[in-house]
Amino acid sequence: MAEAIGKILYTEEQIRDRAIELGQQITEDYAGEELIVLTTLKGAVMWMSELIKHIDLDVKLDFIQAGSYGSGTTSSGVVKVTKDIDMNIYKKHVLIVEDIVDTGTTLGYLEKYLGDRNPASVKICTLLDKPSRRKDESLVIDYTGFVVDDLFIVGYGMDYDQKYRNLPYISYLEPSDVDSL
């Protein structure tokens, strides 16, 4: 295997084990219900793929692309939806699957945006939660893979300027690492 990029926080095995646990919990919470798993592009695709393997329900998938980062390392605070959902979510249970919750700006916006379509419920499942950076204190994360410190995370779908999404683990970059990239 090539040299690791950054400092590894969670291995592929640890991520899979957590997906199994959360998949079982989600299955119990939505027992007998149809669930629309709404994945945020692009970062959450790997996490969603692992998670839904462990949800024993009638699951439908859709995607939305929204963000507040651009090519920088910190949130701009301005959310843009660049790809909307295709599915009708009226009176349906929706689970937003996210890669990382940082300030909460994007997810807070998406909750309101989707709420205007009158779903039965909207809950959030994130691989990583970074509560120390939260600006939207009203945001509730229903299912969390791991809580992380204020680090610049890459791997397992998360990127730095569109690089490192394909790493099979989650690592973080030191500021000096980012400056040299």
Side-chain angles (χ1 to χ4, degrees):
M1 179 177 186
E3 183 178 324
I5 304 295
K7 294 174 180 56
I8 296 177
L9 287 172
Y10 300 104
T11 65
E12 189 171 12
E13 294 77 22
Q14 289 172 306
I15 297 165
R16 183 180 50 250
D17 290 347
R18 190 64 180 129
I20 291 168
E21 292 170 5
L22 289 177
Q24 291 170 346
Q25 183 180 352
I26 292 165
T27 298
E28 290 173 18
D29 291 352
Y30 290 97
E33 300 289 341
E34 177 182 86
L35 182 62
I36 295 175
V37 173
L38 180 59
T39 305
T40 59
L41 295 173
K42 302 174 185 168
V45 170
M46 285 179 72
W47 171 234
M48 175 275 300
S49 296
E50 185 62 42
L51 180 67
I52 65 169
K53 291 184 220 176
H54 310 289
I55 298 175
D56 188 17
L57 298 169
D58 182 10
V59 172
K60 293 184 177 179
L61 297 178
D62 205 346
F63 300 90
I64 193 164
Q65 188 167 18
S68 61
Y69 280 84
S71 63
T73 60
T74 59
S75 174
S76 68
V78 177
V79 178
K80 295 178 186 175
V81 173
T82 55
K83 190 254 179 253
D84 205 343
I85 61 175
D86 296 321
M87 222 173 266
N88 180 356
I89 61 170
Y90 180 74
K91 300 230 183 247
K92 305 283 185 179
H93 294 285
V94 176
L95 180 65
I96 301 172
V97 176
E98 181 64 284
D99 54 355
I100 187 167
V101 180
D102 192 327
T103 64
T105 302
T106 300
L107 275 178
Y109 178 86
L110 286 179
E111 261 190 326
K112 291 174 184 71
Y113 183 78
L114 297 169
D116 289 343
R117 298 174 188 195
N118 297 310
S121 67
V122 176
K123 290 190 176 182
I124 297 168
C125 176
T126 188
L127 174 55
L128 300 177
D129 187 11
K130 199 186 290 188
S132 65
R133 301 242 323 135
R134 192 84 73 247
K135 290 183 180 175
D136 184 348
E137 296 299 328
S138 67
L139 188 66
V140 175
I141 308 302
D142 303 282
Y143 307 98
T144 300
F146 305 98
V147 175
V148 294
D149 293 328
D150 186 12
L151 302 168
F152 190 78
I153 306 289
V154 295
Y156 211 81
M158 292 164 278
D159 71 304
Y160 171 69
D161 201 18
Q162 300 299 324
K163 293 185 255 179
Y164 310 121
R165 290 188 191 278
N166 61 325
L167 298 176
Y169 52 83
I170 296 169
S171 64
Y172 68 95
L173 300 175
E174 296 286 356
S176 59
D177 296 334
V178 174
D179 293 339
S180 68
L181 296 175

